[in-house]
Amino acid sequence: QEIKVVNINGALNVFAKYLNSIKQKWLITHDINKGRHKLIIAHDGEKQIKYYLLFKREFFLSADKQFGTKEGYFESINEEWLNFTIAKKVEQIIYVYPNSFVYGVYPMQIKKYAEIHNTKRISESEDKKIINNQVETINEVIVSFPLDLLKRLNKGDGEK
């Protein structure tokens, strides 16, 4: 029976199972982006390994239209968090989806793809911040990349 993941806590549980399956020990979890993302430090017996965990409900479906590409569906991360993962020397950015599938991608792969193919965009979020006593809309830069950069890491329930 398939596990349905509905939030970041469910994603943490699924990722914990994956780490256990590859004999890595979970050491520390840091909340990032108001707890919506997690920086995880694990140990493989020889060295510490950092992961950056995100829970995503769906892919970026209209990327081909937006970027004029023919790559199919894309995934995304805010440039601020991508740069954070690079600065913190994160091994892999981990995406967990509602079907409990776990995927990994190397931060520099995303950065290089976006630079070469110009797949950055400004978000149309309506988030507001007060800057110098003025309410301003936050326009975040989002970096997108095709799903084929993601590597499936775990086996789903019932999969061999």
Side-chain angles (χ1 to χ4, degrees), residues 19-75:
L19 283 182
N20 193 40
S21 77
I22 61 167
K23 310 290 187 250
Q24 286 189 17
K25 187 176 179 184
W26 191 298
L27 300 179
I28 303 168
T29 305
H30 297 285
D31 282 353
I32 308 293
N33 191 15
K34 299 178 187 139
R36 290 186 288 239
H37 302 171
K38 306 290 181 183
L39 177 64
I40 296 158
I41 301 172
H43 203 281
D44 69 359
E46 293 177 26
K47 64 187 179 312
Q48 284 190 359
I49 301 165
K50 294 178 186 173
Y51 298 99
Y52 193 81
L53 180 74
L54 299 99
F55 168 67
K56 291 296 205 84
R57 285 181 173 74
E58 58 187 28
F59 306 120
F60 177 28
L61 307 178
S62 61
D64 279 343
K65 192 171 108 187
Q66 179 120 19
F67 300 125
T69 54
K70 291 183 176 18
E71 300 274 356
Y73 296 158
F74 276 53
E75 192 45 270

Side-chain angles (χ1 to χ4, degrees), residues 78-113:
N78 284 10
E79 187 173 48
E80 172 185 2
W81 304 120
L82 177 61
N83 289 338
F84 173 86
T85 65
I86 292 165
K88 293 288 184 188
K89 298 184 173 17
V90 165
E91 175 72 18
Q92 283 190 299
I93 298 172
I94 304 297
Y95 289 85
V96 177
Y97 295 94
N99 62 5
S100 79
F101 289 8
V102 176
Y103 293 87
V105 60
Y106 300 106
M108 284 307 297
Q109 268 186 296
I110 299 172
K111 189 172 180 76
K112 285 179 182 162
Y113 182 91

